[in-house]
Amino acid sequence: ITCRTSKDETCKSCSVNEPNYLHKVDRQPKKPSTKMVRVGDFTLQLVAADTKEPFKEHTAPDGQVYAEVEPDMDYYISVRTVVGGVTMTMHVDGVDLGYKHHFKNANSTSFLGSWSRTGSKERMTALHFNKTREAHGVAPNMLTGKVKVKIHQRGDEYYKEPYDYVSRSLTVDSTLGGKKCIKSTTSGSHSFERRSSKKLKGSLERKYKVGKHICTITLNYCSALGLIYNKILPSPPALEGI
């Protein structure tokens, strides 16, 4: 806490009844939070698709974490594990993206979105924040999106004929939660490609069953307006009383 005003001004930034030259909250802008949502050995963030920079996060009084996102931006779900031998599934706004992501090695990070495979080539395409009609007088949860990552032990291996695949689509009509400020869709323009690393046994591809559930990580997301409705950011005068 530092003083940045003259001694004849009183402190209006806090409850301490002292002159500002003795007590004043520093008004310099805060740097974006780089913390992750962490549960045990696993962490979750939403990151910009082009820079991999995490979106600023806010912690609500009840302990839930909210990523402050912007419309018309591509993003990836960034997950990290300290341990190996785990399987993760991704759920966005109540929709299972429909594929499993396996971590063989410890201390690994992956950027996940909409996954597809054609032949031996795999492509991961970013998700996209789409702006929808803003409505007043709605419940806070209607303005909030949710990303869940369910983590399991990697189960027994088995072999199956390989096949082409495209993960489930997300549209502004397919997600749960009603009319929100921002919804996720599978319409991102950023993507990266890789050759499949799955081992074959003859013409069969090695896969893994899903083992015991370890934990579920949840990260909420919304725009600044959603944070105001969720009482995480203060309401500007124009929205007071709404």
Side-chain angles (χ1 to χ4, degrees), residues 4 6 13 21 27 37 47 66 84 99 112-113 137 144 169 177 239:
R4 294 183 182 273
S6 61
S13 302
Y21 72 97
R27 294 181 182 273
V37 179
V47 302
Y66 292 75
Y99 66 91
L112 308 175
T144 306
S169 296
L239 291 179

Side-chain angles (χ1 to χ4, degrees), residues 47-55 72-76 111 126-127 189-191:
V47 302
D50 53 352
T51 64
K52 305 300 186 296
E53 287 293 320
F55 291 95
D72 301 321
M73 286 191 67
D74 287 0
Y75 76 96
Y76 287 112
F111 300 104
L127 303 177
S189 59
H190 292 80
S191 65

